Amino acid sequence: MIELREIEVQHGAKDIVKAVTLQVASGTRTALLGRSGSGKTTILRAIAGFEPITAGSIQLRGVQVSSNGETTAPELRQIGYVFQDPSLFPHLTIMDNIGFGLSSLPTEQRTERITELANKLDLSPLLSRFPHQCSGGQQQRVALARTLAPGPDIVLLDEPFSGLDRELRADLCLHVAELFDELAITAVMVTHDIDEALSFAQQVAVIEDGRLLQVSDAATLLQSPINSRVARLLGDGCLLRGTAQSGTINCALGSLPFPPGLSAQDNDDVEIWVRPQDLRVQDVGELSVTVVNTRQTRFGYEHRVRVNDVDLTVHSNQARKAGDRLTIEVSSTLLAWQRTGN
């Protein structure tokens, strides 16, 4: 349904998007995941036709719509676009906001379509209200209903839930995913939130510095990030350097067994990503660490510890204080990669 072939986007002399190739199958949901400034929104805008590309091509439904020097206008692409800000018309009721793009339909059909979408998005009691009388979550659902009203088969979403509290964001994200499945809509969403990406999308594309680092399903992404740059986007951790030697990795944590999937020869340089869940506080163990500081969380206590000038994060159910000595066991499920470059 959507195919990007080696697309590039430049702003002046600066490369914003660099040789990105991506396919989105019909009726599926893809998330573009990356930090602010990574280029993910520029990719979304290029798909929509808001942003010209300087190399490569974009196809929608098998038809080329963007290339260097040629761009099909956004209004001719039959794409729905949901912005981060709902941008509702303040002088129109919720019913008229949803039906804004349906003015060519007979009144009866227009009302039927609005009612259908209002029911699907739990907006029926709000149709006579104005935007300022609705909550942030309600306004975002109205914006989505307005986008869906003309019946697009492709919808692009630019961080549409970022202004909502976490619980509401999670609920709305799942609701929208289920609705898109029901309507057989192909969707691409931009987000910097890993939990949002994993709950919404069947395919996650990790973007950094304008490049596509990895495209995979959620399980593969979590279990087998392709390198430490991807791993950093998936949660807290500490990057260590080590050396392969006789089936082990020598590093600041001592001698560790090869994690699954690591292929390295003796004396090869290795990168190790140590996550809090890879470290366990034990009564008996070989690795002794000093507590730097500790704080309470809703899941227990988070301790910042130091070993051989390396700072690590450890979770446990017991409070500690700075200066305490702990014994830590290192899991064999560490993520590691053979290191290339500096």
Side-chain angles (χ1 to χ4, degrees):
M1 182 64 80
I2 304 172
E3 185 172 7
L4 282 57
R5 298 178 179 174
E6 296 288 318
I7 71 162
E8 297 186 2
V9 177
Q10 288 183 324
H11 290 170
K14 185 176 182 181
D15 295 326
I16 306 300
V17 176
K18 307 166 186 175
V20 169
T21 294
L22 179 68
Q23 293 181 336
V24 180
S26 177
T28 64
R29 303 182 306 279
T30 293
L32 303 181
L33 174 67
R35 297 186 178 92
S36 297
S38 63
K40 57 189 186 299
T41 294
T42 301
I43 294 172
L44 200 73
R45 289 174 56 82
I47 297 172
F50 301 151
E51 194 88 43
I53 62 176
T54 51
S57 66
I58 298 176
Q59 291 191 358
L60 302 178
R61 310 174 190 91
V63 177
Q64 183 168 294
V65 293
S66 288
S67 63
N68 185 12
E70 183 179 346
T71 302
T72 301
E75 62 270 21
L76 300 179
R77 299 192 180 202
Q78 297 179 306
I79 285 179
Y81 200 104
V82 182
F83 293 89
Q84 185 173 347
D85 186 332
S87 300
L88 302 179
F89 300 109
H91 62 292
L92 298 181
T93 65
I94 297 307
M95 184 169 189
D96 288 337
N97 264 282
I98 296 174
F100 183 80
L102 303 177
S103 57
S104 61
L105 292 181
T107 301
E108 184 176 343
Q109 291 183 26
R110 181 175 181 271
T111 301
E112 183 179 340
R113 179 62 172 164
I114 294 170
T115 302
E116 176 191 5
L117 288 170
N119 289 335
K120 291 182 182 299
L121 287 164
D122 300 327
L123 294 171
S124 298
L126 310 177
L127 291 177
S128 62
R129 296 185 186 180
F130 288 88
H132 73 273
Q133 297 172 315
C134 300
S135 69
Q138 291 168 340
Q139 290 185 30
Q140 196 57 270
R141 294 205 305 274
V142 174
L144 179 61
R146 182 178 61 186
T147 299
L148 296 178
D153 57 356
I154 297 175
V155 173
L156 309 178
L157 306 99
D158 187 3
E159 302 199 62
F161 315 125
S162 62
L164 309 177
D165 65 71
R166 177 164 290 276
E167 184 176 356
L168 179 58
R169 185 163 73 233
D171 289 344
L172 187 53
C173 188
L174 289 174
H175 188 172
V176 171
E178 291 170 356
L179 178 59
F180 283 7
D181 280 347
E182 179 185 341
L183 300 177
I185 287 174
T186 305
V188 180
M189 181 177 73
V190 160
T191 181
H192 61 269
D193 187 301
I194 178 62
D195 293 328
E196 189 170 88
L198 297 179
S199 64
F200 175 81
Q202 296 144 320
Q203 173 178 258
V204 180
V206 180
I207 311 292
E208 185 177 81
D209 192 27
R211 298 187 184 279
L212 181 60
L213 299 186
Q214 183 170 353
V215 182
S216 68
D217 60 89
T220 302
L221 185 66
L222 291 174
Q223 295 170 11
S224 305
I226 196 169
N227 56 33
S228 60
R229 297 168 68 188
V230 175
R232 287 178 186 273
L233 290 170
L234 305 182
D236 294 334
C238 177
L239 185 65
L240 304 179
R241 291 186 174 183
T243 305
Q245 194 68 48
S246 302
T248 62
I249 304 171
N250 295 324
C251 65
L253 300 183
S255 182
L256 306 177
F258 265 33
L262 176 63
S263 176
Q265 305 298 318
D266 283 0
N267 300 317
D268 281 349
D269 291 329
V270 176
E271 287 185 328
I272 309 147
W273 184 249
V274 185
R275 303 158 295 184
Q277 61 264 37
D278 295 323
L279 301 172
R280 299 182 180 89
V281 178
Q282 300 287 339
D283 292 332
V284 178
E286 297 181 357
L287 182 64
S288 184
V289 301
T290 302
V291 176
V292 178
N293 56 56
T294 185
R295 70 183 185 94
Q296 188 165 4
T297 73
R298 56 183 174 147
F299 302 111
Y301 294 91
E302 179 181 281
H303 309 294
R304 194 71 172 169
V305 301
R306 182 168 296 149
V307 54
N308 295 333
D309 296 324
V310 173
D311 285 347
L312 304 169
T313 300
V314 178
H315 294 158
S316 76
N317 293 324
Q318 186 175 348
R320 308 284 181 175
K321 63 181 183 298
D324 281 355
R325 301 286 291 179
L326 301 179
T327 300
I328 304 296
E329 181 182 87
V330 182
S331 169
S332 61
T333 59
L334 292 164
L335 298 174
W337 309 268
Q338 187 170 348
R339 184 160 62 89
T340 57
N342 296 324

